[in-house]
Amino acid sequence: MNSPLRHAPAPDLLARFAAIVGDRYAVTDPAALAPHLIEGRGLYNGTTSMLLRPGSVAEVAAILKLANETRTPVVPQGGNTGLVGGQIPFDGELIVSLTRLDKIREVDATSNTMTCESGVVLAKAQDAATAVDRLFPLSLGAEGSCTIGGNLSTNAGGTAALAYGITRELMLGVEVVLADGRILNLLRKLKKDNTGYDLRHIFIGAEGTLGIITAAVLKLFPRPRAVETAFVAVPSPAAAVTLLNLAQARVGGTVTSFELIIREVMEFGIKHGPNVRDPLASPHPWYVLMEVASQQADGPRDSLEQLLADGAEAGLVIDATLAASLDQAKAFWHLRHTLTETQKPEGGSIKHDVSVPVAAIPDFLAEATAAVIKLIPGSRPVPFGHVGDGNMHFNVSQPIGADKDAFIARWSEVNDVVDAIVTKYNGSFSAEHGIGKLKRDKLAKAKDPVALELMRVLKRQLDPNGILNPGKVL
Ligand code: FAD
Ligand code: 2HG
Ligand code: ZN
């Protein structure tokens, strides 16, 4: 998918950008650029004239000021783990990589806040919270490389949103460089601040199209005294949803994660994942990976065991194992987090990151599976995901032995079939990964027209010259 550079700034202009960050941080070497131009699944392969690595907010501001004055488009990039192509320059735009803005400016354990620059890797933010006996609960498979700025800009969900909320809900304040280089400082630690329009949220989930986030105040929580992790075989998605409600009503703690996994994708994990083992002795059609946290040191183990025993009696649980150690709990999560990677050796995968009301999950899964198999006989739906949030990754692997490119060419056709069922249940075709390039056309067709017009008004107002991540979202 390489295309000629539509945006190719003249050498003297590139030199002006390079002067802002210093030559060392103005990257043009093709080998050094390469990892910034492809996204994880190899769906997109971009082109750029230069990657800039600013080391301060002032440098970000200077870059955007110059970009705006010279109509030079830029693409913000964090850890490059996004799944909708938002972080890839498609027409030679400059990349502004935020990874050098990696300071944790402050951890305030009393106020339960942490102020992080946008290039801080999520795992580092989690560790900083742990160091003061607090929890920063955002957690996702890419946490070792995704950044706080990317998390905010995609409004990431992850595996603990059930209890703690999505990224938007974990943010108290934000600092943003606007398209013209002005710095918007909304870095407050306040829960209550009713001083006019709440502008912070415009930038969360905006995927770099309205400004570049340079720092944020994040919420911290008490670190749980006890965490229990269970790997549970269930007969059906309906049983999983009933079990979720039972768990939320009965266990002595908070259900922090509740992930549903179909057997077929577990098999991909076991077959292709490094050091992945089946947690249970024999195969079952569906699994739930569930975590419960408590502030009580003696923990929720007894009540969780009771829940699983009652669940078995009621036909909701076929088999289950509770992690006996931290290492075993980590092994369960390792299996869950490898599922994105371990679909790859199975060939093409057509993805759907969808949400429906939790009660509609069983019907949605049954109908989408039947519809996809009817459309492409032999295709392999392998749904998994955050069932507690009503958010499933309804991914479809190609038929065994089929031609990968021919299968991937049917991406939109398969999406349309699945999305029609999502619409029937009043769901969303993009629950947590965003719009980026991948779902832009879909957004234009599916979003409420008044909402779309307001989005365009905002975009024109905040970025009149269209320099911020053009061709993404809108
Ligand atoms: P990038 O990929 O670099 O960028 C993502 C978008 O944000 C782009 O549009 C980019 O232009 C913009 N952007 C980046 N930084 C800034 C900034 N500072 N200011 C303005 N715009 C910016 N996502 C979930 O929601 N839940 C999951 O459970 C989940 N699991 C994942 C598991 C794996 C294995 C992988 C590979 C991805 C997963 N993702 C998940 C998707 C991805 O990790 C998230 O979208 C993440 O938040 C992206 O962060 P990043 O730093 O890599 O951003
Ligand atoms: C997850 O929940 C991520 O693991 C990625 O959101 C899902 O690979 C996917 O489709
Ligand atoms: Zn997910």
Side-chain angles (χ1 to χ4, degrees):
M1 278 193 223
N2 271 319
S3 54
L5 298 193
R6 189 154 71 91
H7 307 291
D12 62 328
L13 179 54
L14 285 178
R16 289 171 71 194
F17 279 108
I20 294 171
V21 293
D23 283 344
R24 183 170 165 211
Y25 297 113
V27 182
T28 50
D29 169 38
L33 288 176
H36 297 272
L37 296 172
I38 44 164
E39 56 85 71
R41 284 157 303 156
L43 272 188
Y44 300 119
N45 199 346
T47 53
T48 190
S49 316
M50 182 177 272
L51 177 141
L52 297 162
R53 301 190 63 222
S56 66
V57 179
E59 286 182 7
V60 177
I63 290 169
L64 289 196
K65 187 167 184 293
L66 180 58
N68 195 45
E69 283 165 6
T70 57
R71 313 284 197 267
T72 308
V74 301
V75 177
Q77 193 178 87
N80 188 17
T81 69
L83 294 172
V84 290
Q87 70 281 17
I88 302 296
F90 286 92
D91 283 314
E93 302 91 323
L94 304 185
I95 300 176
V96 180
S97 166
L98 281 306
T99 53
R100 281 181 70 219
L101 292 189
D102 63 351
K103 278 191 275 313
I104 294 177
R105 291 186 190 166
E106 188 201 31
V107 183
D108 177 348
T110 309
S111 307
N112 276 306
T113 63
M114 174 167 67
T115 308
C116 284
E117 292 187 340
S118 56
V120 170
V121 168
L122 173 55
K124 182 176 156 189
Q126 294 165 342
D127 290 346
T130 309
V132 295
D133 199 25
R134 295 290 184 273
L135 174 76
F136 180 59
L138 183 66
S139 179
L140 42 131
E143 63 198 23
S145 42
C146 67
T147 61
I148 294 298
N151 301 150
L152 290 160
S153 300
T154 58
N155 188 22
T159 52
L162 179 62
Y164 297 101
I166 52 180
T167 306
R168 182 186 299 288
E169 294 160 89
L170 300 173
M171 179 272 309
L172 285 171
V174 72
E175 177 186 82
V176 185
V177 178
L178 302 179
D180 59 9
R182 279 178 299 163
I183 299 168
L184 173 66
N185 187 338
L186 300 173
L187 278 181
R188 303 285 185 85
K189 300 180 186 176
L190 307 176
K191 182 171 182 176
K192 296 190 167 180
D193 178 17
N194 280 344
T195 49
Y197 304 142
D198 189 344
L199 298 173
R200 298 168 303 167
H201 288 286
I202 292 170
F203 302 96
I204 312 305
E207 302 179 51
T209 61
L210 299 180
I212 294 189
I213 296 174
T214 45
V217 180
L218 304 170
K219 283 186 198 165
L220 300 180
F221 294 80
R223 204 161 63 83
R225 294 297 141 211
V227 175
E228 296 293 347
T229 314
F231 207 89
V232 186
V234 295
S236 62
V241 168
T242 308
L243 186 67
L244 167 66
N245 281 276
L246 268 188
Q248 285 173 322
R250 289 216 206 144
V251 293
T254 307
V255 182
T256 48
S257 301
F258 201 90
E259 300 282 308
L260 181 66
I261 305 170
I262 198 170
R263 172 71 198 173
E264 283 77 359
V265 80
M266 268 268 289
E267 277 169 14
F268 295 176
I270 294 163
K271 198 159 130 198
H272 306 298
N275 307 316
V276 174
R277 287 183 41 225
D278 194 335
L280 297 172
S282 47
H284 300 285
W286 294 89
Y287 302 91
V288 163
L289 173 55
M290 162 182 187
E291 197 164 272
V292 181
S294 166
Q295 297 311 119
Q296 308 289 327
D298 54 354
R301 198 169 181 96
D302 291 350
S303 65
L304 187 52
E305 275 171 356
Q306 190 58 51
L307 172 87
L308 295 172
D310 294 347
E313 191 119 315
L316 302 173
V317 170
I318 314 174
D319 193 7
T321 178
L322 250 74
S325 63
L326 195 59
D327 279 349
Q328 203 179 2
K330 278 189 186 154
F332 295 171
W333 279 111
H334 174 61
L335 192 165
R336 165 65 183 85
H337 286 319
T338 56
L339 297 181
T340 298
E341 275 304 305
T342 53
Q343 285 164 74
K344 290 182 190 165
E346 294 289 325
S349 168
I350 298 179
K351 283 178 179 275
H352 306 87
D353 162 37
V354 299
S355 60
V356 294
V358 175
I361 285 274
D363 287 342
F364 162 73
L365 287 173
E367 290 172 35
T369 300
V372 164
I373 291 174
K374 186 170 169 217
L375 181 71
I376 307 185
S379 63
R380 296 171 291 163
V382 287
F384 65 97
H386 323 290
V387 67
D389 305 321
N391 172 199
M392 292 303 297
H393 300 302
F394 190 85
N395 295 345
V396 184
S397 282
Q398 66 172 67
I400 294 168
D403 179 69
K404 181 177 172 185
D405 291 342
F407 178 72
I408 293 293
R410 300 187 70 179
W411 190 292
S412 301
E413 209 186 329
V414 178
N415 280 182
D416 287 348
V417 163
V418 172
D419 292 342
I421 301 165
V422 170
T423 304
K424 177 178 148 190
Y425 290 107
N426 211 4
S428 168
F429 66 90
S430 182
E432 62 171 5
H433 298 158
I435 300 297
K437 166 118 170 148
L438 186 67
K439 299 184 183 177
R440 185 179 164 229
D441 295 345
K442 177 77 76 191
L443 185 82
K445 281 191 217 136
K447 193 81 181 173
D448 171 76
V450 179
L452 261 184
E453 187 42 37
L454 289 180
M455 286 187 204
R456 291 192 182 113
V457 167
L458 261 181
K459 172 71 178 170
R460 278 197 298 272
Q461 198 61 37
L462 286 173
D463 181 20
N465 295 323
I467 59 151
L468 285 168
N469 219 353
K472 314 291 168 54
V473 183
L474 290 174

